[in-house]
Amino acid sequence: MKFGGTSVKNASAMQNVLEIVKSRKEQNPVVVLSACSGITDKLIRLIQDASKKPAKIMMKEIEAIEIHHLNIIEELIRKKEIKKHCSENVQNMIQQLVLLVEGVSLLRECTPRSLDAAVSFGELLSSTIFEAACRDKKLDSVFLDARHVMKTNSDFTQASVDFKETKNLANKNIYPLSNKRKIIITQGFIGSDDNGVTTTLGRGGSDYTAAVLGSVLNTDEIQIWTDVNGVLSADPRIVHNAVTIPEMSFDEIRELSYYGAKVLHPDTIKPAILRKIPVRVLNTFHPENEGTLITPGTKVKSARIRAVHLKKNCINLSVEVPHTQNPEIQAFEILSQVYKSGIKIVSTSIVDNKIFVTIDNPNESTYNSIKNILYGFDYKIENVSLLCICGVNLLKDSDILQKVTIILNRFEPKSVLYGFSSNSLIVSVPNGNGAGALNAVHKLILDDK
Ligand code: ASP
Ligand code: MG
């Protein structure tokens, strides 16, 4: 069970997490926690500033971090002894942070290694408090320092996991506790290298920790607890009646994420994908919600639309190559230059003597490259939004395609692209029509319910 930063941001959020862990203790969970939301950012700023300023100036910010955590203890923990002991632990960690800040300030140098040492306090603090709160509520919990299990290389700030060693250590350090039905509380995001030096897995790395631990322990399930009701059928800021997708496949997640939807990044759950361990996305603030179960293959067999996503700020570039000399060869030549220029390409096609390129998020240098590459050619640029329609067997179902076509005709579609499987379709529409088109296609999902 992994809980993200917003799930542990303060005492009342942690209280929710406590209830959830308590109600699921029969599942014999390993609990992986993020830092309280905002703390990782604060620690990064702190340690980077320390390399430019005298340490004394930084003490106010360290104190603010300390107070934030001591306040949670004050609100959350009842028993005097546990409260006292936990506060002392927090103060000790803050003392270590002070030493680190003083060291970096003295050297006037913040290395990636120092950065990892500093940010690790975020997860260490949140998990220390949460574990004490568990004991306070009479849960049979135990604190596990993730650095004793998660072994990585020394690529500080984005370390790679050594799966073999991590599996060995998990067998040695986690199984015995788990067999005693202890609730294990540990940190996401952090690990240690061969020399025991603290490393981190890259921003947002706690999901990855959960997937790695789930994979090496071969758990029944990996739960990602966050602040939304699972994976939604659309961005609720654009489509107010977006619904939770109850279950979907790893492939669908990959496809949605490829088009820019804010879902679990497929790379973060890769260890789970490889071992075919189901991943469930749940809402800490609405645990009664079923969330989304992500599995190797979906149960949905008949064709249907599952999610829509709007990719704004794209352009359609169309170029006409004169028929006079070898238009195909010229077209390929132009496309190869476009690829080499580093422009963010969504798709390309050549039809007869015309080239069509869809480009994501163009900036000044994109326009300059286009100007240079296409000097002397006749070309047109249209600003568009891309409507990414993802589902199951979409392109194999003429009925769905017909419905989508009829709906989108009202929104002046500019081009239609096929996704990288039969499960997605991308339609570009003028920027101003994006939200309307998205809502109209999303209605097909709701009608299907
Ligand atoms: N606390 C880390 C971060 O904010 C890791 C995580 O939350 O997943 O990047
Ligand atoms: Mg975080």
Side-chain angles (χ1 to χ4, degrees):
M1 303 172 85
K2 178 262 175 179
F3 293 88
T6 48
S7 299
V8 292
K9 66 174 183 243
N10 53 29
S12 84
M14 277 202 195
Q15 184 63 42
N16 282 333
V17 178
L18 263 168
E19 302 295 337
I20 292 166
V21 171
K22 194 170 162 194
S23 70
R24 292 175 183 240
K25 67 171 195 276
E26 297 316 318
Q27 296 178 352
N28 214 9
V30 177
V31 179
V32 174
L33 300 182
S34 284
C36 303
S37 74
I39 294 294
T40 306
D41 287 333
K42 284 203 172 102
L43 289 166
I44 291 175
R45 238 178 294 130
L46 178 78
I47 201 72
Q48 283 173 339
D49 283 355
S51 67
K52 297 173 212 132
K53 297 177 188 168
K56 250 207 232 140
I57 303 180
M58 322 298 309
M59 292 308 143
K60 260 216 150 61
E61 275 140 72
I62 300 182
E63 202 183 322
I65 294 172
E66 180 176 15
I67 290 172
H68 176 83
H69 290 93
L70 290 177
N71 281 344
I72 298 181
I73 298 175
E74 191 51 43
E75 243 185 90
L76 194 62
I77 299 178
R78 291 278 150 263
K79 289 197 194 82
K80 244 180 154 176
E81 266 310 297
I82 298 181
K83 191 179 245 179
K84 182 167 168 271
H85 188 238
C86 183
S87 303
E88 281 165 9
N89 272 342
V90 164
Q91 280 156 342
N92 281 338
M93 279 187 249
I94 294 292
Q95 212 39 53
Q96 291 168 36
L97 179 63
V98 168
L99 288 176
L100 188 67
V101 165
E102 283 173 350
V104 166
S105 170
L106 212 62
L107 288 168
R108 288 282 194 268
E109 184 192 35
C110 176
T111 59
R113 179 173 163 147
S114 312
L115 202 64
D116 276 356
V119 292
S120 71
F121 284 106
E123 270 69 13
L124 289 167
L125 285 162
S126 64
S127 57
T128 297
I129 297 173
F130 184 76
E131 196 278 321
C134 284
R135 269 181 290 117
D136 187 54
K137 299 285 174 317
K138 294 204 166 65
L139 285 175
D140 194 6
S141 62
V142 56
F143 179 88
L144 175 79
D145 189 326
R147 293 169 297 186
H148 298 160
V149 175
M150 294 288 290
K151 274 293 155 188
T152 70
N153 65 6
S154 305
D155 204 353
F156 295 102
T157 74
Q158 45 187 351
S160 301
V161 171
D162 177 342
F163 277 82
K164 203 169 155 218
E165 199 45 33
T166 300
K167 191 178 169 63
N168 283 340
L169 289 167
N171 284 341
K172 204 170 112 204
N173 296 330
I174 296 184
Y175 271 131
L177 297 171
S178 206
N179 288 340
K180 282 190 211 145
R181 318 267 334 149
K182 297 263 183 207
I183 298 172
I184 297 162
I185 314 291
T186 192
Q187 308 81 44
F189 181 50
I190 70 173
S192 70
D193 70 4
D194 274 349
N195 298 318
V197 181
T198 303
T199 56
T200 65
L201 307 173
R203 291 306 305 271
S206 295
D207 289 343
Y208 190 62
T209 301
V212 170
L213 289 181
S215 145
V216 297
L217 293 167
N218 201 14
T219 56
D220 298 329
E221 184 171 290
I222 294 163
Q223 298 177 355
I224 305 289
W225 290 84
T226 170
D227 54 2
V228 289
N229 288 333
V231 180
L232 299 181
S233 55
D235 182 342
R237 287 168 302 183
I238 305 174
V239 178
H240 70 89
N241 48 7
V243 290
T244 301
I245 305 168
E247 57 89 28
M248 64 196 311
S249 67
F250 288 135
D251 284 344
E252 282 182 278
I253 285 285
R254 187 174 307 128
E255 202 133 335
L256 264 177
S257 145
Y258 174 79
Y259 295 120
K262 288 227 161 23
V263 290
L264 268 188
H265 196 282
D267 286 347
T268 65
I269 53 169
K270 204 165 174 190
I273 297 178
L274 293 175
R275 282 218 140 221
K276 298 193 170 29
I277 299 175
V279 177
R280 202 185 282 276
V281 184
L282 293 145
N283 190 344
T284 301
F285 304 95
H286 289 283
E288 72 287 355
N289 225 294
E290 290 276 303
T292 299
L293 183 64
I294 306 166
T295 56
T298 172
K299 289 194 208 83
V300 175
K301 291 286 175 273
S302 57
R304 69 180 52 160
I305 301 173
R306 305 265 279 169
V308 288
H309 178 71
L310 192 65
K311 210 171 173 58
K312 292 180 194 160
N313 299 326
C314 293
I315 54 173
N316 277 346
L317 166 70
S318 45
V319 191
E320 200 164 329
V321 183
H323 259 125
T324 43
Q325 43 175 301
N326 284 339
E328 294 86 359
I329 295 176
Q330 284 243 30
F332 276 114
E333 177 54 33
I334 290 173
L335 269 191
S336 96
Q337 285 188 47
V338 170
Y339 272 103
K340 279 182 207 148
S341 69
I343 290 174
K344 275 207 252 165
I345 298 166
V346 179
S347 85
T348 59
S349 60
I350 299 175
V351 180
D352 190 19
N353 67 325
K354 295 190 190 65
I355 308 170
F356 300 95
V357 187
T358 303
I359 296 167
D360 185 14
N361 214 355
N363 55 24
E364 214 183 307
S365 102
T366 315
Y367 289 109
N368 285 337
S369 301
I370 292 174
K371 236 196 252 162
N372 289 334
I373 296 168
L374 296 178
Y375 181 77
F377 285 98
D378 207 10
Y379 67 93
K380 199 172 88 186
I381 290 178
E382 285 174 310
N383 292 310
V384 292
S385 289
L386 300 187
L387 204 65
C388 309
I389 306 169
C390 296
V392 178
N393 290 331
L394 279 190
L395 303 186
K396 293 182 185 156
D397 190 287
S398 55
D399 198 37
I400 292 184
L401 290 179
Q402 196 185 3
K403 277 185 191 158
V404 171
T405 313
I406 292 171
I407 288 172
L408 288 182
N409 263 336
R410 307 201 316 259
F411 297 93
E412 303 166 60
K414 298 291 176 193
S415 64
V416 178
L417 313 166
Y418 294 114
F420 53 68
S421 70
S422 65
N423 298 331
S424 59
L425 183 69
I426 298 124
V427 181
S428 68
V429 295
N431 269 332
N433 292 351
L438 194 77
N439 273 284
V441 178
H442 185 265
K443 215 174 152 287
L444 290 176
I445 301 179
L446 298 178
D447 290 349
D448 209 21
K449 293 254 159 226

